[in-house]
Amino acid sequence: MRARRSILSVPATTPRFHEKADGSVADMIVLDLEDSVAASAKVAARQGVVDALCRHAYEGKVRSVRVNAVDTSWCLDDVRHVVEGAGERIDTIFLPKAEGADQLNFLHHLLEQLEKRLRLPRRIGIELGIETPAGIERLDEICSASDRTVALHLGKGDLAASTRMPGLTIGEESTTYPGDLWHYARVKIVLQARLHRQQAIEGPYARFRDEAGLRSLAGQAAALGYDGKWAIHPAQLSALNEIFSPRQEEFDRACAIVRAYAAATGEEATGAVDIGGEMVDEATRKMAEVMVDRGRTAGMRESGVDAALFSAEEAAPAAPPCPSARR
């Protein structure tokens, strides 16, 4: 999986933003033909996407194009125009308001036909906006429809509107609901994403000057296992990259635990060991490997500072916990 800690949405109709996005620290760039483009400008905006992809490298970034929804009059020509004009430069097509397998089948086979005709050297992936009650409730059907799907994105703005939630700020927390307003949708999306080996991404927070609010929302999503969050302004990117990456000490500890556990338990890696005063078993090893994978995806390397504390020499067999203490 490629890093998607921070996703910067860029209107297709604003060339100066395309250049700024190229130099940003975003993991992923979404050139947008949907919500940020007025109906009267949608047809002309397609060439703006092609020009941006051909002019700017977006090196090290996932390059995606958000087309209009399948039930609009623009979707077919959105996909055809951008793939015919810059298919070799596109990593994924972002399909908003995904609600059923039929929509995925349409996009999957359209891409297949274009790739064959244009002789593109690699497949174009699909990213899905989950933004309506139908999208939430049909997630398993949607996620299973195409092996091109690489990520699910929770769209809070459209979801709030389609469920008639009161509020005017996209992605904000509720001051009246006793808990996380988005918990059901968040958990369902991350579980389905993991079931289908896809990434889970949260939508944007519109108050781009409110860093504390952004950090709170992003921290909640990260705690549930999300891989990243959308940004509507470059000022939000650094915070998101930080929040969706392990801290250096966490990454170092995870790497050391994986090594020490393997050395102490042999090739089969079963049982439990005492590593630095902590009982580490197979479930712990799996948790550590997730942390290692997240860090490496983000480009992290071990600092070596704390590795000695969890060295293989300090790992010793541990007494098995009582049944009630097992995970």
Side-chain angles (χ1 to χ4, degrees):
M1 293 186 181
R2 296 181 64 179
R4 284 175 170 81
R5 300 168 300 173
S6 56
I7 294 89
L8 182 61
S9 176
V10 187
T13 51
T14 316
R16 63 189 178 90
F17 288 173
H18 303 164
E19 183 176 2
K20 289 183 177 180
D22 188 27
S24 75
V25 296
D27 284 338
M28 177 174 169
I29 300 298
V30 178
L31 294 164
D32 186 34
L33 291 169
E34 197 213 13
D35 284 348
S36 66
V37 178
S40 60
K42 287 187 183 292
V43 173
R46 295 168 186 153
Q47 189 58 40
V49 169
V50 173
D51 292 344
L53 289 167
C54 293
R55 183 175 298 123
H56 304 294
Y58 300 118
E59 186 174 355
K61 298 172 171 56
V62 179
R63 296 163 297 194
S64 187
V65 179
R66 181 163 71 168
V67 298
N68 287 279
V70 171
D71 61 357
T72 70
S73 62
W74 300 294
C75 183
L76 171 64
D77 288 329
D78 283 350
V79 178
R80 289 176 57 186
H81 192 104
V82 300
V83 174
E84 288 173 349
E88 293 187 8
R89 303 280 298 154
I90 297 172
D91 295 313
T92 64
I93 293 293
F94 188 105
L95 184 68
K97 300 175 181 65
E99 293 188 329
D102 57 335
Q103 296 174 339
L104 271 294
N105 292 334
F106 163 77
L107 181 56
H108 176 100
H109 291 294
L110 175 58
L111 289 173
E112 191 168 85
Q113 291 296 310
L114 289 168
E115 289 165 350
K116 287 179 179 178
R117 179 162 62 81
L118 299 170
R119 298 182 179 180
L120 297 182
R122 58 191 175 87
R123 296 179 96 204
I124 295 172
I126 295 174
E127 315 216 11
L128 301 178
I130 308 300
E131 309 170 67
T132 66
I136 294 292
E137 293 307 301
R138 297 173 186 162
L139 267 176
D140 186 59
E141 170 194 330
I142 294 168
C143 294
S144 305
S146 172
D147 62 359
R148 293 176 183 268
T149 303
V150 295
L152 308 178
H153 298 247
L154 170 58
K156 291 180 176 178
D158 280 293
L159 183 60
S162 60
T163 54
R164 299 184 64 83
M165 291 181 182
L168 297 173
T169 300
I170 293 175
E172 69 179 346
E173 295 178 295
S174 172
T175 58
T176 57
Y177 185 79
D180 177 9
L181 186 67
W182 309 103
H183 188 71
Y184 175 76
R186 278 171 158 173
V187 171
K188 192 161 186 180
I189 283 175
V190 77
L191 291 178
Q192 286 292 327
R194 298 305 176 232
L195 177 64
H196 296 280
R197 301 181 64 82
Q198 296 158 1
Q199 288 182 301
I201 312 296
E202 186 168 75
Y205 176 47
R207 298 188 190 276
F208 59 86
R209 292 189 176 89
D210 178 15
E211 184 172 336
L214 176 74
R215 286 182 172 274
S216 175
L217 289 163
Q220 293 170 15
L224 288 172
Y226 273 68
D227 298 286
K229 184 174 177 65
W230 278 51
I232 60 170
H233 193 280
Q236 297 176 317
L237 296 173
S238 294
L240 295 180
N241 287 343
E242 173 194 332
I243 291 165
F244 288 100
S245 299
R247 296 193 303 273
Q248 186 65 51
E249 58 269 25
E250 291 175 331
F251 179 70
D252 289 343
R253 177 184 172 95
C255 291
I257 285 175
V258 170
R259 282 197 306 272
Y261 185 76
T265 58
E267 293 183 1
E268 295 183 358
T270 58
V273 294
D274 178 353
I275 300 179
E278 178 178 345
M279 192 280 288
V280 173
D281 63 6
E282 179 68 5
T284 315
R285 179 192 65 78
K286 291 176 181 177
M287 293 167 65
E289 285 194 340
V290 169
M291 187 76 72
V292 171
D293 182 64
R294 283 183 175 274
R296 287 177 177 166
T297 300
M300 296 179 67
R301 296 183 179 181
E302 288 183 78
S303 69
V305 174
D306 298 321
L309 179 62
F310 300 98
S311 64
E313 288 75 13
E314 289 188 313
C322 64
S324 62
R326 291 187 181 275
R327 291 169 176 80

